[in-house]
Amino acid sequence: MTSASLGHNRQLAEKAHDIRKTALEMGKVQGQGYIAQALDVADILAVAYFHAMTYRPEDPEWEGRDRFYLSIGHYAIALYAVLIEAGVVPREELETYGGDDSRLPMSGMAAYTPGMEITGGSLGQGLPIAIGACLGLKRKGSKSFVYNLLSDGELGEGSTWEAALSGAHWKLDNLIAIVDVNNQQADGPSSQVLSCEPLLDKWNAFGWFSQRVNGNDLDALVKAFDAARAHPGPQPRVIICDTLMGKGVSFLEAREKNHFIRVDADEWDTAMTVLDAEFAS
């Protein structure tokens, strides 16, 4: 790896750390939330927004932008954190998270938040929406990409696989799906609720250019995002990311059930201290 690459990855690591800190600060406002998910996808979001995507923070609706579709609406706190770090959402709005009349509701809504492209929440709908957007962009002659973050839990939805078939059928090479495989959902481990393995083989069989990486390894993520964008084949692309819930805060990583976390008042500052210490080590 060159010194320039090392420097870039260090910058991405700092961005991922900042995303985690900002998410924790928002979580502290409400005292609860989908914090473990925000911590686990911070590296993915850092690479997406500070390495891969083209956009204008001052003009979130710029027609030439790459789109980021958050299918998993309850991950909104993670997306808000990166939108704040990217300068799309003013930092002072952080304190309004989840409050009345806030532009940062606890579940993402496109009508409220700059940079929030779709309203998620009804799981399994993000990829179908992304298919339609990619078709529309192609008909416009646009060179923009659509990045769609979905969860391993959403792979239990038939609509996701119908969309996967459609993406390959329409040869949507402007679509990059990102699957967060953290093996957690509301009813328990995803692998026990409804196993979807072997994921790489299945996406390949559906006609996608498929990669599987450690979703908390920035170097692997950068290579995967670059390969997805540069792939010459006329097919959609998917990056399957194995992640760790609560990544960066050891006592949250260790919790057996961390799909939705209630953190005691004194634990928020402890979490921030642990996050800083683990990043510095």
Side-chain angles (χ1 to χ4, degrees), residues 218-257:
L218 287 167
D219 184 47
L221 285 168
V222 166
K223 291 175 181 176
F225 271 74
D226 287 350
R229 193 157 184 134
H231 180 65
Q235 58 191 141
R237 302 97 200 275
V238 61
I239 306 170
I240 303 161
C241 299
D242 294 292
T243 61
L244 177 63
M245 294 277 272
K247 176 67 177 177
V249 180
S250 53
F251 71 87
L252 295 182
E253 293 174 5
R255 290 198 178 179
E256 183 178 355
K257 294 183 178 180

Coordinates of all heavy atoms in Angstrom, one line a residue, residues 218-257:
L218 N -11.6 -1.0 6.7 CA -11.6 0.1 5.7 C -10.9 -0.2 4.4 O -11.4 0.2 3.3 CB -11.1 1.4 6.3 CG -12.0 2.0 7.4 CD1 -11.3 3.1 8.2 CD2 -13.2 2.6 6.7
D219 N -9.7 -0.8 4.5 CA -9.0 -1.2 3.3 C -9.8 -2.1 2.4 O -9.9 -1.9 1.2 CB -7.6 -1.8 3.7 CG -6.8 -2.1 2.4 OD1 -6.6 -1.2 1.6 OD2 -6.2 -3.2 2.3
A220 N -10.4 -3.1 3.0 CA -11.2 -4.0 2.2 C -12.4 -3.3 1.6 O -12.8 -3.6 0.4 CB -11.7 -5.2 3.1
L221 N -13.0 -2.4 2.3 CA -14.2 -1.7 1.8 C -13.8 -0.8 0.7 O -14.5 -0.7 -0.3 CB -14.8 -0.9 3.0 CG -15.6 -1.6 4.0 CD1 -15.9 -0.7 5.2 CD2 -16.9 -2.2 3.4
V222 N -12.7 -0.1 0.8 CA -12.3 0.8 -0.3 C -12.1 0.0 -1.6 O -12.6 0.4 -2.7 CB -11.0 1.6 0.1 CG1 -10.3 2.2 -1.1 CG2 -11.3 2.6 1.1
K223 N -11.4 -1.1 -1.5 CA -11.2 -2.0 -2.7 C -12.5 -2.5 -3.2 O -12.7 -2.5 -4.5 CB -10.2 -3.1 -2.3 CG -8.8 -2.7 -2.0 CD -8.0 -3.9 -1.5 CE -6.5 -3.4 -1.2 NZ -5.7 -4.5 -0.6
A224 N -13.4 -2.9 -2.4 CA -14.7 -3.4 -2.8 C -15.5 -2.3 -3.5 O -16.1 -2.6 -4.6 CB -15.5 -4.0 -1.7
F225 N -15.6 -1.1 -2.9 CA -16.3 0.0 -3.5 C -15.7 0.3 -4.9 O -16.5 0.6 -5.8 CB -16.4 1.2 -2.6 CG -17.5 1.2 -1.6 CD1 -17.5 0.3 -0.5 CD2 -18.6 2.0 -1.8 CE1 -18.6 0.4 0.4 CE2 -19.6 2.1 -0.9 CZ -19.6 1.2 0.2
D226 N -14.4 0.4 -5.0 CA -13.8 0.7 -6.2 C -14.0 -0.3 -7.3 O -14.3 0.0 -8.4 CB -12.2 0.9 -6.0 CG -11.8 2.1 -5.3 OD1 -12.7 3.0 -5.1 OD2 -10.7 2.2 -4.9
A227 N -14.0 -1.6 -6.9 CA -14.2 -2.7 -7.8 C -15.6 -2.7 -8.3 O -15.9 -2.9 -9.5 CB -13.9 -4.0 -7.2
A228 N -16.6 -2.4 -7.4 CA -18.0 -2.3 -7.8 C -18.2 -1.2 -8.8 O -18.9 -1.4 -9.8 CB -18.9 -2.1 -6.6
R229 N -17.7 -0.1 -8.6 CA -17.9 1.0 -9.5 C -17.2 0.8 -10.9 O -17.7 1.2 -11.9 CB -17.4 2.3 -8.9 CG -17.8 3.6 -9.6 CD -17.8 4.8 -8.6 NE -18.4 5.9 -9.3 CZ -19.3 6.8 -8.8 NH1 -19.7 6.6 -7.6 NH2 -19.7 7.8 -9.5
A230 N -16.0 0.2 -10.8 CA -15.2 0.0 -12.1 C -15.6 -1.2 -12.8 O -15.1 -1.4 -14.0 CB -13.8 0.0 -11.7
H231 N -16.4 -2.1 -12.3 CA -16.7 -3.4 -12.9 C -17.2 -3.2 -14.3 O -18.2 -2.4 -14.5 CB -17.7 -4.2 -12.1 CG -18.0 -5.5 -12.7 ND1 -17.1 -6.5 -12.9 CD2 -19.2 -6.0 -13.2 CE1 -17.7 -7.6 -13.4 NE2 -19.0 -7.3 -13.6
P232 N -16.7 -3.8 -15.4 CA -17.1 -3.5 -16.7 C -18.4 -4.2 -17.2 O -18.9 -3.9 -18.2 CB -15.9 -4.0 -17.6 CG -15.3 -5.1 -16.7 CD -15.5 -4.7 -15.3
G233 N -18.8 -5.2 -16.5 CA -19.9 -6.0 -16.9 C -21.3 -5.3 -16.8 O -21.5 -4.4 -15.9
P234 N -22.2 -5.6 -17.7 CA -23.5 -4.9 -17.7 C -24.5 -5.6 -16.7 O -25.4 -6.2 -17.0 CB -24.0 -5.1 -19.1 CG -23.4 -6.4 -19.5 CD -22.1 -6.5 -18.8
Q235 N -24.1 -5.4 -15.4 CA -24.9 -6.0 -14.4 C -24.8 -5.2 -13.1 O -23.9 -4.4 -12.9 CB -24.3 -7.4 -14.1 CG -22.9 -7.4 -13.7 CD -22.2 -8.8 -13.7 OE1 -21.1 -9.0 -14.1 NE2 -22.9 -9.8 -13.2
P236 N -25.8 -5.4 -12.2 CA -25.8 -4.7 -10.9 C -24.7 -5.3 -10.0 O -24.2 -6.4 -10.3 CB -27.2 -4.9 -10.3 CG -27.6 -6.1 -11.0 CD -27.0 -6.2 -12.4
R237 N -24.3 -4.5 -9.0 CA -23.2 -5.0 -8.1 C -23.7 -5.0 -6.7 O -24.5 -4.2 -6.3 CB -22.1 -3.9 -8.2 CG -21.5 -3.8 -9.7 CD -22.2 -2.5 -10.4 NE -22.1 -2.6 -11.8 CZ -21.0 -2.2 -12.5 NH1 -20.0 -1.7 -11.9 NH2 -21.0 -2.4 -13.8
V238 N -23.2 -5.9 -5.9 CA -23.5 -6.0 -4.5 C -22.3 -6.2 -3.7 O -21.4 -7.0 -4.1 CB -24.5 -7.1 -4.2 CG1 -24.0 -8.5 -4.6 CG2 -25.0 -7.1 -2.8
I239 N -22.2 -5.5 -2.5 CA -21.1 -5.7 -1.6 C -21.7 -6.3 -0.3 O -22.5 -5.6 0.4 CB -20.3 -4.4 -1.3 CG1 -19.8 -3.8 -2.6 CG2 -19.2 -4.7 -0.4 CD1 -19.3 -2.4 -2.5
I240 N -21.4 -7.5 0.0 CA -21.9 -8.1 1.2 C -20.9 -7.8 2.4 O -19.8 -8.2 2.3 CB -22.1 -9.6 1.0 CG1 -23.0 -9.9 -0.2 CG2 -22.6 -10.3 2.3 CD1 -22.9 -11.3 -0.7
C241 N -21.4 -7.1 3.4 CA -20.5 -6.7 4.5 C -20.8 -7.3 5.8 O -21.8 -7.1 6.4 CB -20.6 -5.2 4.6 SG -20.2 -4.2 3.1
D242 N -19.8 -8.1 6.3 CA -20.0 -8.7 7.6 C -19.5 -7.7 8.6 O -18.4 -7.3 8.6 CB -19.2 -10.0 7.7 CG -19.7 -11.1 6.7 OD1 -20.8 -11.6 7.0 OD2 -19.0 -11.4 5.8
T243 N -20.4 -7.4 9.5 CA -20.1 -6.3 10.5 C -20.4 -6.8 11.9 O -21.1 -7.8 12.2 CB -21.0 -5.0 10.2 OG1 -22.4 -5.4 10.3 CG2 -20.7 -4.5 8.8
L244 N -19.9 -6.0 12.9 CA -20.1 -6.3 14.3 C -20.9 -5.2 14.9 O -20.6 -4.0 14.9 CB -18.7 -6.3 15.0 CG -18.7 -6.5 16.5 CD1 -19.3 -7.9 16.8 CD2 -17.3 -6.4 17.0
M245 N -22.1 -5.6 15.5 CA -22.9 -4.7 16.2 C -22.2 -4.0 17.3 O -21.5 -4.7 18.1 CB -24.2 -5.4 16.7 CG -25.1 -5.9 15.6 SD -26.2 -4.7 14.9 CE -27.6 -4.9 16.1
G246 N -22.4 -2.7 17.4 CA -21.7 -1.9 18.5 C -20.2 -1.7 18.3 O -19.5 -1.3 19.3
K247 N -19.8 -1.9 17.1 CA -18.3 -1.8 16.8 C -17.7 -0.5 17.3 O -18.2 0.6 17.1 CB -18.1 -1.8 15.3 CG -16.7 -1.7 14.8 CD -15.8 -2.9 15.2 CE -14.4 -2.7 14.7 NZ -13.5 -3.8 15.1
G248 N -16.6 -0.7 18.1 CA -15.9 0.4 18.6 C -16.1 0.7 20.1 O -15.4 1.4 20.7
V249 N -17.2 0.1 20.6 CA -17.5 0.3 22.1 C -17.6 -1.1 22.6 O -18.7 -1.8 22.5 CB -18.8 1.1 22.3 CG1 -19.1 1.3 23.8 CG2 -18.7 2.5 21.6
S250 N -16.6 -1.6 23.3 CA -16.5 -3.0 23.6 C -17.7 -3.5 24.5 O -18.2 -4.6 24.3 CB -15.2 -3.3 24.4 OG -15.0 -2.4 25.4
F251 N -18.2 -2.7 25.4 CA -19.2 -3.2 26.3 C -20.6 -3.3 25.5 O -21.5 -4.1 25.9 CB -19.4 -2.4 27.6 CG -19.9 -1.1 27.5 CD1 -21.3 -0.8 27.5 CD2 -19.0 0.0 27.4 CE1 -21.7 0.5 27.5 CE2 -19.5 1.3 27.3 CZ -20.9 1.6 27.4
L252 N -20.7 -2.5 24.4 CA -21.9 -2.6 23.6 C -21.8 -3.8 22.6 O -22.7 -4.5 22.3 CB -22.2 -1.3 22.8 CG -22.5 -0.1 23.7 CD1 -22.8 1.1 22.8 CD2 -23.7 -0.4 24.6
E253 N -20.5 -4.0 22.1 CA -20.3 -5.2 21.3 C -20.7 -6.5 22.0 O -21.1 -7.4 21.4 CB -18.8 -5.3 20.9 CG -18.3 -4.1 20.0 CD -16.8 -4.2 19.8 OE1 -16.1 -5.2 20.3 OE2 -16.2 -3.3 19.2
A254 N -20.4 -6.5 23.3 CA -20.6 -7.7 24.1 C -22.0 -8.0 24.5 O -22.3 -9.1 25.0 CB -19.7 -7.7 25.3
R255 N -22.9 -7.1 24.3 CA -24.3 -7.3 24.7 C -25.0 -8.3 23.8 O -24.9 -8.3 22.6 CB -25.1 -6.0 24.6 CG -24.7 -5.0 25.7 CD -25.7 -3.9 25.9 NE -25.3 -3.0 27.0 CZ -26.0 -2.0 27.4 NH1 -27.2 -1.7 26.8 NH2 -25.6 -1.2 28.4
E256 N -25.7 -9.3 24.5 CA -26.2 -10.4 23.7 C -27.4 -9.9 22.8 O -27.5 -10.4 21.7 CB -26.8 -11.4 24.7 CG -27.3 -12.7 24.0 CD -27.8 -13.7 25.0 OE1 -27.6 -13.5 26.2 OE2 -28.4 -14.7 24.6
K257 N -28.2 -9.0 23.3 CA -29.3 -8.4 22.5 C -29.0 -6.9 22.4 O -29.2 -6.2 23.3 CB -30.6 -8.7 23.2 CG -31.0 -10.2 23.3 CD -32.4 -10.4 23.9 CE -32.7 -11.8 24.0 NZ -34.1 -12.1 24.6

